[in-house]
Amino acid sequence: MTERGRITRRRLLAAGAGAATLPLAGCAGGTGTERERSATFTLGTSDSFAGLNPLATASGYSWILLNLVYESGTVVDPVTFDVRPNVFTDWTVAGADGPDAEPVVSVSVRDGLTFTDGTPLTVDDVVFTYRYLREQRPARYLPVVSTIAAVERASGDWDLRLRLSEPVGTYASSTLALPILPEHVWSGVDDYRRYRPSNHGGPVGLGPATVTSYEPDTSASVSFRDPDEYALSSLDWLRDRDTLDAGGPFLDALRVQVYGSDAALQRAFLDGDVDAVFRTVDSSSVSDIEAADGETLVEGSATGYGFYGFNLRRRPLDDLVFRQALTFAFDDYHDVTELHDGYVRKGDFVVPPGYTAVRPESGADADILTAPATEAFDYRARDDGGAFDAAAVRDFLTGGEPITGAAGTYAGRE
């Protein structure tokens, strides 16, 4: 949606127009409060679903639905990237120092939550979830559960203790962010890989939605709870965000329609058959969407990335200096401004900008994309603003001294 000022889910829904990104942005029928609470939003995808088992599928299309059904102990703030309370209200870690450290994470579980089938959440469900995942070791969560040595009930101010086999610096956003499973549903599942939730009235989770129809090759639908039954949308940290609208759900239902290709999906959007598409549209399509009568483009940011890869087994791509010379010849400015019309940003490392602590700028006390380490392989244009400095890159290529991290001058740059 191209509009200045504060954008919330209510404003987006009130727009009554299509959208070209994932946010629930736009619906048809009704006005004001009626529109907010009496709408079915239709989302288009270009690929089919791959099951509704949260432990057995990594499909982004399946998780359109599963993200609305399941909740985790903690979530990452989409504005600040800080870890925020969700099913867990508080947590702490002790014993994380020393060469033989075996940290203990203590957790408090929120009261008053219910699963989508109406069953109240208890601490036993959380204990079961962690023990079940440790036993089953699903591939999707194996890197996380492999460091959990024991799961115990706690007393006093804490409800649960997780004993880790080693320090985990990201425990708050990984160990505590596993989907909470209902014990009464999963306790009878001996092998998670064979479980089909859609055959057992599921999936069942703590989220705002219940799956009401599921045809993996064509469509699926979810219905949403009444806001009074879903406390997790009204947490204090959500209310503190100007760019988020606490409360809700603001829809009655979500329908996901599957199309056979990106072209068919875009055509369906422009024809008004879907309210939004599940993906970022190609920059070449932006002008068509902006020109379409009654349609709206929602501008936002994403942590996806595009890249060029090399087959290192083929000559001359097996040569490090040659590959580095190729990076000097890649015109980032032209790619961003001309090929993508300014709808992307220049990148360097496959790290979302929110995680600045693991980027080279942290040590250099520099802004993103300005530290020497991030600019080492940048496009080599002449200092006078002229064309590509082919001579400097040719000297680098024939000199045979690759960039290794040591200080120096490489193709004319310090």
Side-chain angles (χ1 to χ4, degrees), residues 227-238:
D228 294 337
E229 300 175 1
Y230 182 61
L232 294 179
S233 69
S234 300
L235 300 182
D236 290 342
W237 71 267
L238 285 168

Side-chain angles (χ1 to χ4, degrees), residues 6-257:
R6 182 170 179 261
I7 297 178
T8 67
R9 273 185 287 177
R10 281 199 180 95
R11 280 186 57 193
L12 290 171
L13 287 171
T21 52
L22 176 59
L24 302 184
C27 59
T31 59
T33 303
E34 176 189 358
R35 172 177 290 163
E36 292 171 8
R37 286 299 307 139
S38 59
T40 295
F41 188 85
T42 303
L43 184 68
T45 76
S46 58
D47 208 342
S48 58
F49 306 101
L52 294 178
N53 185 332
L55 307 186
T57 180
S59 165
Y61 299 97
S62 291
W63 278 93
I64 296 173
L65 309 174
L66 296 177
N67 277 325
L68 297 172
V69 174
Y70 289 95
E71 294 284 359
S72 55
T74 61
V75 294
V76 174
D77 188 324
V79 178
T80 67
F81 290 90
D82 294 327
V83 180
R84 300 296 185 185
N86 198 44
V87 176
F88 300 155
T89 58
D90 197 9
W91 56 89
T92 187
V93 62
D97 298 327
D100 300 319
E102 294 184 353
V104 176
V105 181
S106 300
V107 175
S108 291
V109 178
R110 191 178 303 276
D111 294 327
L113 302 182
T114 60
F115 290 100
T116 50
D117 65 355
T119 305
L121 169 73
T122 68
V123 176
D124 288 338
D125 292 299
V126 182
V127 173
F128 168 82
T129 294
Y130 278 89
R131 288 178 175 173
Y132 185 80
L133 293 177
R134 283 189 66 237
E135 172 191 333
Q136 294 285 322
R137 298 172 65 83
R140 178 178 174 84
Y141 301 107
L142 184 58
V144 176
V145 301
S146 61
T147 60
I148 302 175
V151 183
E152 307 166 353
R153 287 290 298 259
S155 58
D157 294 333
W158 305 106
D159 297 311
L160 175 73
R161 285 196 175 91
L162 305 172
R163 299 186 180 275
L164 307 184
S165 59
E166 60 186 60
V168 179
T170 59
Y171 80 93
S173 60
S174 58
T175 310
L176 302 186
L178 299 174
I180 305 303
L181 306 175
E183 182 178 9
H184 66 282
V185 172
W186 287 85
S187 58
V189 180
D190 296 330
D191 184 350
Y192 79 92
R193 292 167 296 186
R194 299 179 181 276
Y195 183 57
R196 300 292 181 270
S198 54
N199 294 337
H200 299 275
V204 175
L206 292 169
T210 300
V211 177
T212 53
S213 68
Y214 179 67
E215 297 293 336
D217 294 327
T218 57
S219 66
S221 299
V222 301
S223 62
F224 290 98
R225 306 195 201 198
D226 187 279
D228 294 337
E229 300 175 1
Y230 182 61
L232 294 179
S233 69
S234 300
L235 300 182
D236 290 342
W237 71 267
L238 285 168
R239 294 186 179 279
D240 291 338
R241 292 286 167 267
D242 290 339
T243 52
L244 300 175
D245 203 9
F250 301 108
L251 295 171
D252 287 336
L254 169 70
R255 180 174 177 81
V256 184
Q257 193 72 38

